[in-house]
Amino acid sequence: MIPLSWSISLPLLLTLLMGPRSTPEAPPLRIDFGRDTGGQNWAVLNDGVMGGLSVGDATLTDSSLVFTGTVSLDNFGGFTSVKGPFERTDLSAFETVRVRYRCQGQVFALTLEMDERFFVPYYRGVLEPASDEWRVAVLPLAAFEQYNLGRPTGTRFERDVRADVLRLGLITIAKQEGPFELELDYIVFE
């Protein structure tokens, strides 16, 4: 029998006896849309900021955010978006994001902005086209791609930059003309 040395610290002894401590998981970060639960400070940003003629409107129901409008390619346009407030959010503890939505007419992406200036690169994850049926997309954060003025840079959303997210949003990305409707129930980071 080997005598136990008193120079071993209590935390080390407990680790040896009970195994390594696991770090507690971060609780999910959830945004529920609706009049009483979230989405009050989300606003529409159209391509008119660059001369385009697309239009969008966002309204809250009792249980969702409804984003409707028409994308126009006239005057070098081609997108419209709905964005949350500027608010620093640390996503470094999370691996995925779940979005419950339904949409028609356009393809959308969830955007994660790092700066208030529009020309600073941001990250986006694509939501697959849906229909009148509710759909839950589960997107790995590591798969989000960086874009700069609508063009991919080839950079992924690595953990070391996830602590610096400044604003969430959704944007049309297909560059196709026509009407659309997107209804959001929730966004959950896990």
Side-chain angles (χ1 to χ4, degrees), residues 101-104 130-134 181 183:
Y101 68 101
R102 56 185 172 185
C103 65
Q104 296 179 40
S131 64
D132 283 340
E133 300 298 318
W134 285 101
E181 181 173 323
E183 187 172 4

Side-chain angles (χ1 to χ4, degrees), residues 28-87:
L29 172 63
R30 184 178 186 99
I31 302 166
D32 276 315
F33 292 94
R35 286 195 185 121
D36 299 324
T37 58
Q40 293 89 347
N41 296 319
W42 285 57
V44 172
L45 180 65
N46 297 317
D47 56 13
V49 297
M50 301 168 74
L53 301 173
S54 298
V55 294
D57 184 53
T59 57
L60 289 173
T61 70
D62 289 334
S63 61
S64 64
L65 175 99
V66 179
F67 178 41
T68 59
T70 303
V71 173
S72 171
L73 301 180
D74 293 340
N75 217 29
F76 304 105
F79 77 88
T80 184
S81 62
V82 61
K83 298 179 180 276
F86 287 111
E87 180 176 67

Side-chain angles (χ1 to χ4, degrees), residues 1-186:
M1 183 171 190
I2 300 173
L4 183 61
S5 168
W6 287 105
S7 64
I8 294 178
S9 69
L10 183 58
L12 177 59
L13 177 61
L14 291 174
T15 299
L16 291 171
L17 294 174
M18 297 172 41
R21 287 185 247 168
S22 62
T23 55
E25 289 186 25
L29 172 63
R30 184 178 186 99
I31 302 166
D32 276 315
F33 292 94
R35 286 195 185 121
D36 299 324
T37 58
Q40 293 89 347
N41 296 319
W42 285 57
V44 172
L45 180 65
N46 297 317
D47 56 13
V49 297
M50 301 168 74
L53 301 173
S54 298
V55 294
D57 184 53
T59 57
L60 289 173
T61 70
D62 289 334
S63 61
S64 64
L65 175 99
V66 179
F67 178 41
T68 59
T70 303
V71 173
S72 171
L73 301 180
D74 293 340
N75 217 29
F76 304 105
F79 77 88
T80 184
S81 62
V82 61
K83 298 179 180 276
F86 287 111
E87 180 176 67
R88 182 91 34 211
T89 305
D90 183 351
L91 299 179
S92 61
F94 305 111
E95 298 294 328
T96 61
V97 60
R98 280 188 302 128
V99 181
R100 186 169 187 258
Y101 68 101
R102 56 185 172 185
C103 65
Q104 296 179 40
Q106 293 288 332
V107 178
F108 292 86
L110 177 64
T111 59
L112 306 172
E113 297 177 24
M114 313 307 280
D115 198 285
E116 290 187 27
R117 297 168 293 176
F118 75 91
F119 56 85
V120 173
Y122 63 94
Y123 296 87
R124 75 182 195 194
V126 177
L127 299 175
E128 294 297 323
S131 64
D132 283 340
E133 300 298 318
W134 285 101
R135 178 183 181 125
V136 177
V138 179
L139 307 173
L141 292 176
F144 274 57
E145 293 184 64
Q146 187 182 65
Y147 280 76
N148 189 7
L149 299 175
R151 294 186 180 97
T153 67
T155 301
R156 297 286 181 163
F157 191 47
E158 301 296 334
R159 188 172 304 281
D160 63 333
V161 297
R162 291 184 198 169
D164 297 322
V165 173
L166 189 57
R167 181 163 70 168
L168 307 177
L170 288 117
I171 189 169
T172 59
I173 60 170
K175 285 262 189 201
Q176 75 180 41
E177 287 190 311
F180 67 86
E181 181 173 323
L182 169 69
E183 187 172 4
L184 285 172
D185 182 5
Y186 61 74

